[in-house]
PDB file of all heavy atoms in Angstrom:
ATOM      1  N   HIS Y1205     -33.941   9.720 -37.955  1.00 60.00           N
ATOM      2  CA  HIS Y1205     -35.074   9.675 -38.867  1.00 60.00           C
ATOM      3  C   HIS Y1205     -36.291   9.034 -38.190  1.00 60.00           C
ATOM      4  O   HIS Y1205     -36.183   8.276 -37.237  1.00 60.00           O
ATOM      5  CB  HIS Y1205     -34.699   8.907 -40.130  1.00 60.00           C
ATOM      6  CG  HIS Y1205     -34.136   7.558 -39.852  1.00 60.00           C
ATOM      7  ND1 HIS Y1205     -34.904   6.491 -39.476  1.00 60.00           N
ATOM      8  CD2 HIS Y1205     -32.860   7.110 -39.879  1.00 60.00           C
ATOM      9  CE1 HIS Y1205     -34.135   5.449 -39.312  1.00 60.00           C
ATOM     10  NE2 HIS Y1205     -32.883   5.787 -39.545  1.00 60.00           N
ATOM     11  N   ASP Y1206     -37.424   9.368 -38.706  1.00 59.00           N
ATOM     12  CA  ASP Y1206     -38.680   8.918 -38.117  1.00 59.00           C
ATOM     13  C   ASP Y1206     -38.837   7.414 -38.131  1.00 59.00           C
ATOM     14  O   ASP Y1206     -39.678   6.874 -37.441  1.00 59.00           O
ATOM     15  CB  ASP Y1206     -39.867   9.509 -38.895  1.00 59.00           C
ATOM     16  CG  ASP Y1206     -39.828  11.002 -38.882  1.00 59.00           C
ATOM     17  OD1 ASP Y1206     -38.999  11.583 -39.607  1.00 59.00           O
ATOM     18  OD2 ASP Y1206     -40.609  11.585 -38.140  1.00 59.00           O
ATOM     19  N   ALA Y1207     -38.016   6.778 -38.937  1.00 52.00           N
ATOM     20  CA  ALA Y1207     -38.222   5.348 -39.112  1.00 52.00           C
ATOM     21  C   ALA Y1207     -38.118   4.595 -37.800  1.00 52.00           C
ATOM     22  O   ALA Y1207     -38.605   3.486 -37.668  1.00 52.00           O
ATOM     23  CB  ALA Y1207     -37.206   4.796 -40.108  1.00 52.00           C
ATOM     24  N   GLN Y1208     -37.489   5.197 -36.813  1.00 58.00           N
ATOM     25  CA  GLN Y1208     -37.347   4.456 -35.574  1.00 58.00           C
ATOM     26  C   GLN Y1208     -38.570   4.587 -34.685  1.00 58.00           C
ATOM     27  O   GLN Y1208     -38.785   3.801 -33.777  1.00 58.00           O
ATOM     28  CB  GLN Y1208     -36.093   4.896 -34.832  1.00 58.00           C
ATOM     29  CG  GLN Y1208     -36.299   5.991 -33.805  1.00 58.00           C
ATOM     30  CD  GLN Y1208     -35.021   6.260 -33.040  1.00 58.00           C
ATOM     31  OE1 GLN Y1208     -33.969   6.461 -33.610  1.00 58.00           O
ATOM     32  NE2 GLN Y1208     -35.098   6.258 -31.730  1.00 58.00           N
ATOM     33  N   ARG Y1209     -39.377   5.577 -34.977  1.00 68.00           N
ATOM     34  CA  ARG Y1209     -40.460   5.878 -34.050  1.00 68.00           C
ATOM     35  C   ARG Y1209     -41.522   4.798 -33.918  1.00 68.00           C
ATOM     36  O   ARG Y1209     -42.002   4.558 -32.824  1.00 68.00           O
ATOM     37  CB  ARG Y1209     -41.114   7.196 -34.456  1.00 68.00           C
ATOM     38  CG  ARG Y1209     -40.066   8.280 -34.427  1.00 68.00           C
ATOM     39  CD  ARG Y1209     -40.644   9.645 -34.532  1.00 68.00           C
ATOM     40  NE  ARG Y1209     -39.539  10.608 -34.491  1.00 68.00           N
ATOM     41  CZ  ARG Y1209     -39.690  11.903 -34.672  1.00 68.00           C
ATOM     42  NH1 ARG Y1209     -40.877  12.388 -34.906  1.00 68.00           N
ATOM     43  NH2 ARG Y1209     -38.654  12.693 -34.610  1.00 68.00           N
ATOM     44  N   PRO Y1210     -41.897   4.189 -35.006  1.00 71.00           N
ATOM     45  CA  PRO Y1210     -42.933   3.175 -34.844  1.00 71.00           C
ATOM     46  C   PRO Y1210     -42.496   2.051 -33.914  1.00 71.00           C
ATOM     47  O   PRO Y1210     -43.317   1.376 -33.313  1.00 71.00           O
ATOM     48  CB  PRO Y1210     -43.130   2.636 -36.269  1.00 71.00           C
ATOM     49  CG  PRO Y1210     -42.612   3.698 -37.150  1.00 71.00           C
ATOM     50  CD  PRO Y1210     -41.522   4.358 -36.391  1.00 71.00           C
ATOM     51  N   PHE Y1211     -41.191   1.850 -33.804  1.00 84.00           N
ATOM     52  CA  PHE Y1211     -40.717   0.764 -32.955  1.00 84.00           C
ATOM     53  C   PHE Y1211     -40.641   1.167 -31.500  1.00 84.00           C
ATOM     54  O   PHE Y1211     -40.491   0.321 -30.623  1.00 84.00           O
ATOM     55  CB  PHE Y1211     -39.309   0.331 -33.385  1.00 84.00           C
ATOM     56  CG  PHE Y1211     -39.154   0.183 -34.861  1.00 84.00           C
ATOM     57  CD1 PHE Y1211     -38.008   0.605 -35.506  1.00 84.00           C
ATOM     58  CD2 PHE Y1211     -40.166  -0.402 -35.607  1.00 84.00           C
ATOM     59  CE1 PHE Y1211     -37.870   0.464 -36.874  1.00 84.00           C
ATOM     60  CE2 PHE Y1211     -40.036  -0.546 -36.981  1.00 84.00           C
ATOM     61  CZ  PHE Y1211     -38.886  -0.116 -37.614  1.00 84.00           C
ATOM     62  N   LEU Y1212     -40.717   2.436 -31.259  1.00 90.00           N
ATOM     63  CA  LEU Y1212     -40.373   2.938 -29.940  1.00 90.00           C
ATOM     64  C   LEU Y1212     -41.206   2.316 -28.836  1.00 90.00           C
ATOM     65  O   LEU Y1212     -40.681   1.889 -27.805  1.00 90.00           O
ATOM     66  CB  LEU Y1212     -40.514   4.462 -29.925  1.00 90.00           C
ATOM     67  CG  LEU Y1212     -39.995   5.152 -28.676  1.00 90.00           C
ATOM     68  CD1 LEU Y1212     -38.565   4.765 -28.401  1.00 90.00           C
ATOM     69  CD2 LEU Y1212     -40.116   6.658 -28.814  1.00 90.00           C
ATOM     70  N   ALA Y1213     -42.510   2.251 -29.036  1.00 90.00           N
ATOM     71  CA  ALA Y1213     -43.383   1.736 -27.982  1.00 90.00           C
ATOM     72  C   ALA Y1213     -43.027   0.294 -27.645  1.00 90.00           C
ATOM     73  O   ALA Y1213     -42.866  -0.060 -26.472  1.00 90.00           O
ATOM     74  CB  ALA Y1213     -44.840   1.847 -28.409  1.00 90.00           C
ATOM     75  N   GLU Y1214     -42.882  -0.526 -28.665  1.00 91.00           N
ATOM     76  CA  GLU Y1214     -42.514  -1.923 -28.435  1.00 91.00           C
ATOM     77  C   GLU Y1214     -41.176  -2.018 -27.716  1.00 91.00           C
ATOM     78  O   GLU Y1214     -40.991  -2.807 -26.791  1.00 91.00           O
ATOM     79  CB  GLU Y1214     -42.383  -2.669 -29.766  1.00 91.00           C
ATOM     80  CG  GLU Y1214     -43.572  -2.555 -30.683  1.00 91.00           C
ATOM     81  CD  GLU Y1214     -44.747  -3.300 -30.103  1.00 91.00           C
ATOM     82  OE1 GLU Y1214     -44.520  -4.224 -29.308  1.00 91.00           O
ATOM     83  OE2 GLU Y1214     -45.888  -2.935 -30.441  1.00 91.00           O
ATOM     84  N   PHE Y1215     -40.268  -1.229 -28.200  1.00 94.00           N
ATOM     85  CA  PHE Y1215     -38.915  -1.277 -27.667  1.00 94.00           C
ATOM     86  C   PHE Y1215     -38.899  -0.889 -26.192  1.00 94.00           C
ATOM     87  O   PHE Y1215     -38.321  -1.581 -25.343  1.00 94.00           O
ATOM     88  CB  PHE Y1215     -38.043  -0.330 -28.492  1.00 94.00           C
ATOM     89  CG  PHE Y1215     -36.591  -0.379 -28.154  1.00 94.00           C
ATOM     90  CD1 PHE Y1215     -35.907  -1.581 -28.152  1.00 94.00           C
ATOM     91  CD2 PHE Y1215     -35.901   0.778 -27.849  1.00 94.00           C
ATOM     92  CE1 PHE Y1215     -34.556  -1.627 -27.847  1.00 94.00           C
ATOM     93  CE2 PHE Y1215     -34.546   0.738 -27.549  1.00 94.00           C
ATOM     94  CZ  PHE Y1215     -33.879  -0.467 -27.548  1.00 94.00           C
ATOM     95  N   LEU Y1216     -39.584   0.182 -25.887  1.00 95.00           N
ATOM     96  CA  LEU Y1216     -39.681   0.620 -24.498  1.00 95.00           C
ATOM     97  C   LEU Y1216     -40.344  -0.441 -23.640  1.00 95.00           C
ATOM     98  O   LEU Y1216     -39.929  -0.695 -22.515  1.00 95.00           O
ATOM     99  CB  LEU Y1216     -40.484   1.916 -24.405  1.00 95.00           C
ATOM    100  CG  LEU Y1216     -39.754   3.201 -24.752  1.00 95.00           C
ATOM    101  CD1 LEU Y1216     -40.715   4.375 -24.665  1.00 95.00           C
ATOM    102  CD2 LEU Y1216     -38.593   3.417 -23.798  1.00 95.00           C
ATOM    103  N   ALA Y1217     -41.373  -1.038 -24.183  1.00 95.00           N
ATOM    104  CA  ALA Y1217     -42.071  -2.070 -23.425  1.00 95.00           C
ATOM    105  C   ALA Y1217     -41.110  -3.200 -23.083  1.00 95.00           C
ATOM    106  O   ALA Y1217     -41.094  -3.698 -21.954  1.00 95.00           O
ATOM    107  CB  ALA Y1217     -43.252  -2.592 -24.231  1.00 95.00           C
TER     108      ALA Y1217
END
Side-chain angles (χ1 to χ4, degrees):
Chain Y
H1205 53 76
D1206 301 75
Q1208 93 175 51
R1209 301 192 180 174
F1211 315 140
L1212 189 54
E1214 307 291 336
F1215 186 53
L1216 281 178

